[in-house]
Amino acid sequence: MTGPASSRRNAQYGLLASIADEVGVSPATVSKVVHRRRDVSEATRARVEALLAERGFVRTWEADARRRRQILAVFRDLAGPYTLEVVRGIVESAAEIGVHTTVGTTSRRSIAQWLAESQKLDALGVVIVISTLVERDERRILEQRIPVVLVDPLNTPSGDIPSVGVANWHGATTAVQHLIDLGHRRIGMLAGRSHSLAGAARLHGYRAALTEAGIPYDATLVRSTDFDYGEALRAARSVLERDERPTALFAASDVQALGAMEAARQLGIAVPRGLSVMSFDDTLVAAMASPPLSAVRQPFRELGQEATRVLLNLADGRPPATTRRELATELVVRMSTAPPETGK
């Protein structure tokens, strides 16, 4: 990213030397005019300023002050409450420090194209959210020193590319422990896809909590879906229609939890009396669900702040002390969880 800037500086220096020759003064005198020093005669100053304007000289520090500082935030898509919460966290935290955010998706532009766009726009860097980095993109980021921060990457990035996320494993164990403390023993899960790092960590946390409580893991009570309402609804029905259905379901996202509650409604199962539903995310829709969802809360605003902070530090040449930052989650208990019915 330093190549074009270096070329511009060389061109500016050549222009100043040419103006010095034409006016018949030293380059040092022209430099004084450029830096608005007062120890130059008014006649010389006026002549030099006229030639500077005529030849398009730009005082780089003034241009930098006028130029809009911006970052790019790139998402797989902009559908779903999680995405909207993360967008808001990044945009608001960047705006607070005078940085504009351009938001885009990989549905029409690849990550490689967004990296090129960031260089074209002379952006400070790129935040990439819930996406997969291929080896070619990683190599470009590292070789060209493009400031990039990943939020909840789907695959494990190079150790030199920083990422920000939450304590998914610990959050999941907390969620399942809440259900166990209520007295549930048949606890199902709507997990994320295995290729998702966050989804895999939440499934591992679910299993760890069961093991800690001495409850055998039952694979027939677990379904893996995308973080998608329709898929979750169908998956939840397939679990709830079993003869020995679970008394509680832990969903790896709010949209999956909403799908589970709709499946329960269609089957005539009351929530939480007949089925407790526990979620992970606590986006705005969680509190608006009927009944309101118990959930593990992700600190979305802090995610945006941390990703922005790390990115701006990278742009200033200050790499983070650690390339993986995990923020703490919080258990929020509402009305979708309760002790199981007697005899269940």
Side-chain angles (χ1 to χ4, degrees), residues 57-76:
F57 179 82
V58 177
R59 290 173 168 85
T60 55
W61 57 92
E62 292 181 353
D64 288 342
R66 292 193 301 269
R67 189 180 66 211
R68 182 170 64 177
R69 300 170 71 221
Q70 66 175 313
I71 62 174
L72 274 58
V74 179
F75 296 77
R76 182 175 56 177

Side-chain angles (χ1 to χ4, degrees), residues 126-144:
V126 187
V127 179
I128 301 175
V129 184
I130 312 186
S131 295
T132 300
L133 275 188
V134 299
E135 184 179 347
R136 180 180 64 256
D137 293 335
E138 287 193 355
R139 189 165 58 247
R140 179 176 188 174
I141 291 167
L142 297 173
E143 290 178 354
Q144 299 182 15

Side-chain angles (χ1 to χ4, degrees), residues 27-162:
T29 299
V30 175
S31 179
K32 289 179 180 180
V33 175
V34 167
H35 289 88
R36 306 195 190 283
R37 293 266 298 273
R38 297 182 179 180
D39 51 341
V40 179
S41 71
E42 285 303 318
T44 299
R45 180 188 304 279
R47 178 65 176 145
V48 171
E49 287 283 14
L51 289 172
L52 289 171
E54 177 185 314
R55 299 182 187 181
F57 179 82
V58 177
R59 290 173 168 85
T60 55
W61 57 92
E62 292 181 353
D64 288 342
R66 292 193 301 269
R67 189 180 66 211
R68 182 170 64 177
R69 300 170 71 221
Q70 66 175 313
I71 62 174
L72 274 58
V74 179
F75 296 77
R76 182 175 56 177
D77 57 54
L78 293 176
Y82 170 90
T83 300
L84 297 179
E85 294 278 10
V86 176
V87 166
R88 186 170 66 168
I90 294 173
V91 170
E92 290 183 354
S93 58
E96 288 174 358
I97 54 178
V99 175
H100 174 78
T101 305
T102 296
V103 178
T105 72
T106 57
S107 59
R108 294 185 179 274
R109 283 187 179 181
S110 66
I111 288 178
Q113 290 173 312
W114 281 114
L115 294 175
E117 183 72 5
S118 75
Q119 294 177 298
K120 177 183 176 182
L121 296 174
D122 201 14
L124 297 171
V126 187
V127 179
I128 301 175
V129 184
I130 312 186
S131 295
T132 300
L133 275 188
V134 299
E135 184 179 347
R136 180 180 64 256
D137 293 335
E138 287 193 355
R139 189 165 58 247
R140 179 176 188 174
I141 291 167
L142 297 173
E143 290 178 354
Q144 299 182 15
R145 298 175 183 255
I146 303 173
V148 168
V149 175
L150 308 175
V151 175
D152 275 341
L154 292 178
N155 60 333
T156 304
S158 163
D160 294 322
I161 300 176

Side-chain angles (χ1 to χ4, degrees), residues 124-330:
L124 297 171
V126 187
V127 179
I128 301 175
V129 184
I130 312 186
S131 295
T132 300
L133 275 188
V134 299
E135 184 179 347
R136 180 180 64 256
D137 293 335
E138 287 193 355
R139 189 165 58 247
R140 179 176 188 174
I141 291 167
L142 297 173
E143 290 178 354
Q144 299 182 15
R145 298 175 183 255
I146 303 173
V148 168
V149 175
L150 308 175
V151 175
D152 275 341
L154 292 178
N155 60 333
T156 304
S158 163
D160 294 322
I161 300 176
S163 63
V164 179
V166 301
N168 289 294
W169 184 90
H170 183 266
T173 61
T174 301
V176 178
Q177 187 60 54
H178 166 65
L179 296 172
I180 293 170
D181 290 344
L182 289 173
H184 293 279
R185 291 297 178 267
R186 286 186 60 77
I187 303 170
M189 181 176 183
L190 297 179
R193 297 294 189 196
S194 59
H195 65 260
S196 163
L197 289 179
R202 292 170 197 178
L203 176 59
H204 293 158
Y206 159 82
R207 296 189 63 167
L210 294 180
T211 300
E212 180 67 21
I215 300 173
Y217 171 71
D218 185 349
T220 65
L221 300 182
V222 177
R223 298 290 187 275
S224 292
T225 76
D226 277 336
F227 297 139
D228 176 83
Y229 175 84
E231 283 192 29
L233 191 160
R234 291 186 292 272
R237 280 195 65 122
S238 72
V239 173
L240 296 176
E241 288 174 333
R242 293 174 52 83
D243 291 336
E244 293 187 26
R245 62 176 175 82
T247 62
L249 275 178
F250 168 46
S253 70
D254 285 347
V255 292
Q256 288 168 294
L258 293 176
M261 290 206 295
E262 173 58 16
R265 187 197 68 79
Q266 292 178 5
L267 295 171
I269 302 171
V271 175
R273 186 169 54 85
L275 176 74
S276 284
V277 178
M278 184 77 205
S279 185
F280 197 114
D281 278 344
D282 197 35
T283 58
L284 290 174
V285 300
M288 294 187 285
S290 181
L293 277 168
S294 293
V296 172
R297 174 178 293 167
Q298 292 204 56
F300 292 106
R301 181 173 178 77
E302 288 81 359
L303 273 174
Q305 288 176 330
E306 183 66 9
T308 303
R309 183 190 69 80
V310 173
L311 186 68
L312 295 180
N313 283 341
L314 281 175
D316 288 339
R318 292 178 290 162
T322 176
T323 54
R324 174 63 181 175
R325 178 88 162 88
E326 289 194 346
L327 306 184
T329 57
E330 177 187 355

